[in-house]
Amino acid sequence: MAKAHLRVHADENVAVVSDRLFGSFVEHMGRAVYTGIFEPGHPTADSRGFRGDVLELVRELGATVIRYPGGNFVSGFRWEDSVGPDRPVRLDVAWHSVETNVVGLHEFADWADTAGVEIMQAVNLGTRGIEDAAALLEYSNHPTGTALSDERRANGREKPFGITLWCLGNEMDGPWQIGHKTAVEYGRLAAETGRVMKWIDPSIELVAAGSSNADMPTFGSWERTVLELSADVIDHVSLHAYYEETGGDAASFLASGVGLDRYISAVAAIIDETLDAQGLDKTIGISVDEWNVWYQSRFNDVDKPPLFEGEWNEHPRIIEDEYSVTDAVVVGSLLMSLLRNADRVSMANLAQLVNVIAPIRSEPGGPAWRQTTFHPFALTAAAARGTVLRSTVESRAIDTPLYGPVDELDAVVVLNDAELVLLLVNRSLDEQLELDVDLAGCGALKVVSAVSVHAPAGGSRFSTNTESHPDAVVPVALEAVGLAGDTLALALPPLSWSIVRLAVAPEPAPAPAPAPAETTTTIDSEGAAA
Ligand code: AHR
């Protein structure tokens, strides 16, 4: 049996985990909104048409901030179509669909309030620019007394929406994007739009669009130019990252987290260079505002041609990827990469939330269920809060065509007042991994829980959850987890993602200060203390 060793460096903090690391994304695309979060007439729908079963799963998932309304969709979107009593039906050219605008900003904000999530709003810098971004911000955040803010009030929202996070366009480096731009064109537009937006509401945070993926021919030069032109205005730069298993190369796929680590480091280095060159005393975070497993090759080969040449329909089924055990392990390890880089990653959004490459699936008039990828996300979001600690791994190396040799064990450790949380991946396809964890310096600990996502009995790494078998893949308890002194010993199943939660003994209350030693003061014959 393969062996591995993990050492937790109890005194070495990497960074505090931001709540915004557990974001997700709802785009007006496919069935994310219509028959996803919104389906009037569904047996679980509330009076506003929001599906109760989906809402319940969103809460269980633990998503904190939701990017909206796109995505590619936003680059052709006219926001004013989606507010007020008149909702024109429009072509959505990005996804070859018909957009009814029945759900718009007000409806989405109501849903977000009910779900308890923060909105991350994108503006259209594809077909539009400064004027419309400024108008949307004024409509959303200005209290009262202007035509736009009063229009919002007349439309039912007395108080401003108070949206803090704003994305300056989407994937503007991609030739598929409506209004695709060069880095100079986009960098100038982002800077000028952002400047005006901050004059309207200085409390907002702006996200400039970075690269659509690390294989873009412009990756690196895009970030350099965009940052050069906008670093003084923006607060975050985005990074989008999708992974899939191609050509049977499971080893590289399972090492996707290594790819994401490197991608983040490369963008971080460009941010540092730019801030240094411009003498700017500020931080610019990395917003990984689209990340996931996405079988894009299937989309391009199978879905896209008929979909994009066919009729125009409302909310067609687009990229409803069904996720396997392997995909769940990769999603878990991508989230571990985000945590490991919590000192640079200011927020992150699993793309997307419902139906469209999503952890939650729903059928019109039917049930909603958890995909395999739901589980590592929900378990991490619920437990991995606090501070990421440095940890070191010793394990066998696995050769991967895409990333070279990578460790068989992947690990991240997070500490908070109540718990020490270990996130662990065994990248071996067929061997169990015997792991011992050196917890010296972490204080007195007690195992609270240890669960794992792996191939179910009688299943395989390709097992999925479906409408008829929604719980084929669920987290299962790890057996034989032993804590002796400072060493935790456990066995990680082949191809698995696991989470171990250890209760931290509360710091002993400080001992009461010793009573001052009784001293005898002698008064000498002259009245002085001797
Ligand atoms: O999430 C699906 C699509 O992927 C988004 O619309 C786009 O931004 C990205 O290419």
Side-chain angles (χ1 to χ4, degrees), residues 262-311:
R262 293 179 191 169
Y263 190 5
I264 292 168
S265 301
V267 175
I270 299 171
I271 294 173
D272 293 346
E273 269 167 43
T274 313
L275 292 178
D276 193 41
Q278 299 192 3
L280 288 171
D281 182 20
K282 67 185 286 191
T283 53
I284 293 181
I286 300 176
S287 170
V288 184
D289 49 42
E290 285 188 36
W291 69 270
N292 203 350
V293 169
W294 174 11
Y295 286 87
Q296 253 171 311
S297 48
R298 283 183 211 159
F299 169 60
N300 290 329
D301 298 348
V302 182
D303 291 348
K304 206 168 174 182
L307 173 74
F308 279 70
E309 284 158 20
E311 288 170 17

Side-chain angles (χ1 to χ4, degrees), residues 25 27 29 67 70-73 95 170-171 176-177 212 240 242 290 294 296 319 351-352 356-357:
F25 178 29
E27 178 164 7
M29 169 183 182
R67 187 164 175 255
N72 296 346
F73 170 80
W95 297 112
N170 175 69
E171 294 191 351
W176 58 85
Q177 198 68 213
S212 302
H240 289 183
Y242 291 104
E290 285 188 36
W294 174 11
Q296 253 171 311
I319 55 170
Q352 300 193 7
V356 175
I357 46 171

Side-chain angles (χ1 to χ4, degrees), residues 482-494:
L483 181 62
D486 285 338
T487 305
L488 179 78
L490 68 165
L492 301 176

Side-chain angles (χ1 to χ4, degrees), residues 120-446:
M120 179 185 200
Q121 178 77 32
V123 300
N124 173 357
L125 292 190
T127 58
R128 296 187 145 188
I130 301 174
E131 189 176 354
D132 288 296
L136 174 56
L137 176 61
E138 183 181 331
Y139 181 94
S140 304
N141 283 10
H142 192 72
T144 181
T146 65
L148 284 164
S149 55
D150 289 343
E151 191 186 330
R152 179 200 69 239
R153 295 171 58 230
N155 287 337
R157 266 276 178 158
E158 179 59 33
K159 292 242 167 71
F161 291 110
I163 300 171
T164 303
L165 283 172
W166 293 81
C167 299
L168 295 164
N170 175 69
E171 294 191 351
M172 300 311 301
D173 61 328
W176 58 85
Q177 198 68 213
I178 299 172
H180 164 223
K181 293 179 174 41
T182 65
V184 173
E185 287 165 350
Y186 172 69
R188 291 275 306 122
L189 181 59
E192 293 310 319
T193 306
R195 232 183 291 286
V196 173
M197 290 175 77
K198 284 205 167 165
W199 287 335
I200 294 170
D201 182 351
S203 73
I204 61 172
E205 292 176 45
L206 295 170
V207 186
S211 289
S212 302
N213 63 70
D215 294 329
M216 293 298 289
T218 49
F219 171 52
S221 64
W222 175 271
E223 279 75 4
R224 242 172 234 111
T225 305
V226 169
L227 281 164
E228 209 173 281
L229 294 168
S230 66
D232 58 328
V233 183
I234 63 163
D235 305 284
H236 314 263
V237 63
S238 77
L239 167 171
H240 289 183
Y242 291 104
Y243 299 88
E244 65 184 307
E245 182 174 337
T246 52
D249 180 8
S252 296
F253 183 47
L254 286 165
S256 298
V258 174
L260 184 54
D261 288 343
R262 293 179 191 169
Y263 190 5
I264 292 168
S265 301
V267 175
I270 299 171
I271 294 173
D272 293 346
E273 269 167 43
T274 313
L275 292 178
D276 193 41
Q278 299 192 3
L280 288 171
D281 182 20
K282 67 185 286 191
T283 53
I284 293 181
I286 300 176
S287 170
V288 184
D289 49 42
E290 285 188 36
W291 69 270
N292 203 350
V293 169
W294 174 11
Y295 286 87
Q296 253 171 311
S297 48
R298 283 183 211 159
F299 169 60
N300 290 329
D301 298 348
V302 182
D303 291 348
K304 206 168 174 182
L307 173 74
F308 279 70
E309 284 158 20
E311 288 170 17
W312 295 83
N313 292 315
E314 287 176 26
H315 51 81
R317 287 179 187 264
I318 314 178
I319 55 170
E320 299 192 355
D321 288 22
E322 192 172 282
Y323 290 118
S324 67
V325 169
T326 316
D327 300 330
V329 172
V330 171
V331 163
S333 63
L334 290 170
L335 205 38
M336 286 160 65
S337 163
L338 296 171
L339 288 164
R340 186 165 31 243
N341 293 288
D343 55 337
R344 304 308 304 245
V345 177
S346 45
M347 66 194 122
N349 304 70
L350 176 69
Q352 300 193 7
L353 184 65
V354 189
N355 290 329
V356 175
I357 46 171
I360 300 170
R361 283 290 320 274
S362 65
E363 277 301 312
W369 67 98
R370 304 166 188 83
Q371 292 237 52
T372 58
T373 54
F374 181 101
H375 297 294
F377 189 103
L379 288 164
T380 305
R385 304 303 181 105
T387 303
V388 177
L389 299 182
R390 195 169 83 80
S391 56
T392 40
V393 160
E394 278 168 40
S395 70
R396 292 192 309 199
I398 295 181
D399 279 323
T400 71
L402 290 183
Y403 309 111
V406 303
D407 272 300
E408 195 162 45
L409 172 73
D410 188 13
V412 166
V413 181
V414 181
L415 175 70
N416 57 51
D417 289 344
E419 289 184 4
L420 183 79
V421 180
L422 310 178
L423 301 161
L424 306 161
V425 165
N426 176 4
R427 291 190 173 116
S428 167
L429 284 176
D430 38 33
E431 275 191 75
Q432 182 167 295
L433 195 57
E434 233 179 57
L435 171 66
D436 65 271
V437 187
D438 177 355
L439 298 162
C442 295
L445 300 165
K446 204 170 145 220

